[in-house]
Amino acid sequence: MNNILENLREQKEMKLKGNLYHYTQVSFAYNSNKIEGNELTEEQVRYIYELNSILVEGQTAIKVDGIFKTVNHFKLVDYMLDIVDEDLTDDMIKEFHKILKEGTSDSRRD
């Protein structure tokens, strides 16, 4: 397990495509958001991750929240890799939630 963690951290710093870190970012963001009803395709998530762009097909409307939540997932994975050695706390869980909701319509609610 430590080997995987070391590889993920190293690959994060390398910023290369096609490695475990890259696959984890795209796959985790796509699948987690899909569970929540996000309509982005896996290819669109990959475009956001790799090119900081969105691929729009035809006249498909894409909700801005879906884009923000996808980008926020990338940030959350990085944060989790940074703190994985620490004991999980209530404050960490709150920070996870804050990261995921940043910039979304949910973050503007009371």
Side-chain angles (χ1 to χ4, degrees):
M1 192 64 161
N2 285 338
N3 218 8
I4 293 172
L5 179 59
E6 289 173 24
N7 285 335
L8 287 169
R9 285 177 167 169
E10 183 179 297
Q11 292 171 7
K12 173 187 162 198
E13 298 305 317
M14 293 170 60
K15 298 180 169 96
L16 298 175
K17 294 180 189 175
N19 55 32
L20 179 62
Y21 171 78
H22 178 264
Y23 174 79
T24 300
Q25 282 285 33
V26 173
S27 182
F28 176 63
Y30 169 73
N31 287 299
S32 181
N33 283 331
K34 192 72 169 176
I35 291 168
E36 298 294 325
N38 192 325
E39 296 177 358
L40 292 173
T41 67
E42 191 165 6
E43 184 177 15
Q44 288 169 324
V45 171
R46 186 176 52 77
Y47 265 75
I48 293 169
Y49 180 73
E50 293 176 4
L51 305 172
N52 204 32
S53 301
I54 185 73
L55 176 65
V56 180
E57 300 164 359
Q59 297 295 319
T60 304
I62 298 174
K63 295 179 181 179
V64 175
D65 273 358
I67 297 168
F68 276 113
K69 288 177 182 178
T70 298
V71 172
N72 292 346
H73 268 275
F74 303 147
K75 291 178 188 176
L76 179 60
V77 169
D78 286 346
Y79 176 68
M80 292 169 74
L81 285 173
D82 291 342
I83 65 165
V84 71
D85 296 323
E86 299 175 26
D87 291 335
L88 186 64
T89 66
D90 289 344
D91 287 338
M92 280 181 189
I93 294 170
K94 290 175 185 175
E95 186 64 19
F96 294 168
H97 188 261
K98 179 182 170 191
I99 291 169
L100 286 174
K101 296 297 182 176
E102 184 179 4
T104 67
S105 58
D106 288 342
S107 70
R108 295 186 295 273
R109 293 183 184 163
D110 289 338

